[in-house]
Amino acid sequence: IDNLLMASGQNDNTLYTISLINQEITMQTHDTLPRLISSAVPKEQDKIIFISGDDKIAEFDKKTLDLAAKDIAFPLPVKIKTLAIFNRRIYTLDQETNQIYKHNQTLNGYDKGVPWITDQGVDIKNAMSLAIDGDLFILGGNGIVTKLSAGKQVLFETSGILPPLKNPTEIWTYADTQNIYLLEPAGKRIVVINKVGKFIKQYVSEQWTNPVSMSVDEKSKTIYILDNNKIWKFGM
């Protein structure tokens, strides 16, 4: 958000704020909230939405710097794996029900999600991460990227990635970005493909130990990597 990086972990009850200007770190505990699992930031960059526990969310407000629980509901019992935000709506992914739920914003959080996938042939039980640019991209742990449009799967195949993806964990793109970014901890690399799946380039470093997350800023041509309690910064 702006000149701040935010970091959290499932087994850590602290939210870390890192200034990109002076590298100062601020810590904020959240003992009353369940573990923070995954997060997403809208294009307005005014807040962060976290998955909190299996089926709850928490919101970090940029103006107040508060982290607080927010309302959300589901039509079935769920265990949310990951989420994304687009046009102020939240899309939550549940592997067990093999479904993505779309939630509209309310005064106190978000409404009861409605099933978004209408294509019976879609399998997201191996999903690790998702991203939205109008269409929705799901990254599987098997390295397959699935593209959905209006709830239905459309043809999308990656090409030119060598070696093939092995246990990737994170995908990121947005409507105003040119490419799609894939994080592969096992290969210590970030793979960049265009929006038709063609390999563009990759970033690899033997200095990385186990990169667990990334933040991409195409406008400033900068990527940040969280790896072994360190943050790496490099140009694109």
Side-chain angles (χ1 to χ4, degrees):
I1 292 184
D2 296 335
N3 290 314
L4 301 174
L5 280 178
M6 312 294 292
S8 63
Q10 295 190 37
N11 301 314
D12 194 328
N13 67 345
T14 302
L15 178 65
Y16 301 87
T17 303
I18 303 99
S19 169
L20 298 178
I21 298 175
N22 58 18
Q23 287 76 57
E24 180 179 342
I25 299 176
T26 303
M27 295 178 287
Q28 180 179 354
T29 59
H30 51 86
D31 296 326
T32 60
L33 295 173
R35 66 194 188 282
L36 303 181
I37 297 174
S38 179
S39 63
V41 178
K43 67 177 182 179
E44 294 82 3
Q45 293 196 0
D46 56 347
K47 59 185 176 181
I48 304 174
I49 301 296
F50 294 91
I51 297 172
S52 180
D54 292 337
D55 58 359
K56 297 178 175 59
I57 62 169
E59 179 181 292
F60 175 85
D61 188 296
K62 183 176 73 172
K63 290 183 179 180
T64 64
L65 303 182
D66 288 334
L67 179 66
K70 293 292 181 178
D71 292 342
I72 197 168
F74 300 89
L76 297 169
V78 296
K79 186 175 182 179
I80 298 302
K81 172 69 175 180
T82 186
L83 81 164
I85 302 176
F86 191 78
N87 285 344
R88 309 302 282 184
R89 296 182 178 93
I90 287 181
Y91 295 79
T92 56
L93 185 151
D94 177 39
Q95 295 172 320
E96 295 184 7
T97 59
N98 199 50
Q99 185 59 263
I100 292 171
Y101 300 97
K102 183 176 75 172
H103 308 260
N104 293 306
Q105 191 170 8
T106 66
L107 290 176
N108 299 313
Y110 292 85
D111 64 8
K112 184 178 181 179
V114 296
W116 184 78
I117 297 177
T118 57
D119 192 336
Q120 298 299 318
V122 177
D123 184 359
I124 60 171
K125 293 181 180 179
N126 193 36
M128 298 298 295
S129 178
L130 78 157
I132 303 178
D133 72 348
D135 295 323
L136 193 149
F137 298 89
I138 301 171
L139 175 65
N142 54 8
I144 294 175
V145 178
T146 301
K147 180 179 178 180
L148 301 174
S149 182
K152 296 185 179 297
Q153 185 170 352
V154 296
L155 180 63
F156 185 85
E157 295 181 354
T158 58
S159 63
I161 302 176
L162 295 174
L165 290 169
K166 181 181 179 181
N167 301 323
T169 58
E170 190 171 335
I171 186 172
W172 184 83
T173 193
Y174 210 75
D176 57 354
T177 64
Q178 292 185 349
N179 297 315
I180 298 171
Y181 299 81
L182 309 168
L183 176 63
E184 184 198 61
K188 303 177 184 179
R189 62 174 174 163
I190 293 174
V191 174
V192 185
I193 58 176
N194 64 20
K195 294 198 174 178
V196 295
K198 183 179 178 181
F199 173 82
I200 302 297
K201 65 177 70 174
Q202 63 184 6
Y203 302 96
V204 182
S205 176
E206 290 302 322
Q207 293 179 285
W208 297 342
T209 303
N210 182 36
V212 295
S213 190
M214 65 180 175
S215 180
V216 180
D217 187 344
E218 274 198 349
K219 291 182 179 180
S220 68
K221 298 186 181 302
T222 304
I223 297 178
Y224 300 90
I225 290 289
L226 177 60
D227 170 63
N228 196 30
N229 207 37
K230 296 178 180 178
I231 294 175
W232 297 81
K233 171 186 175 181
F234 58 93
M236 298 166 60

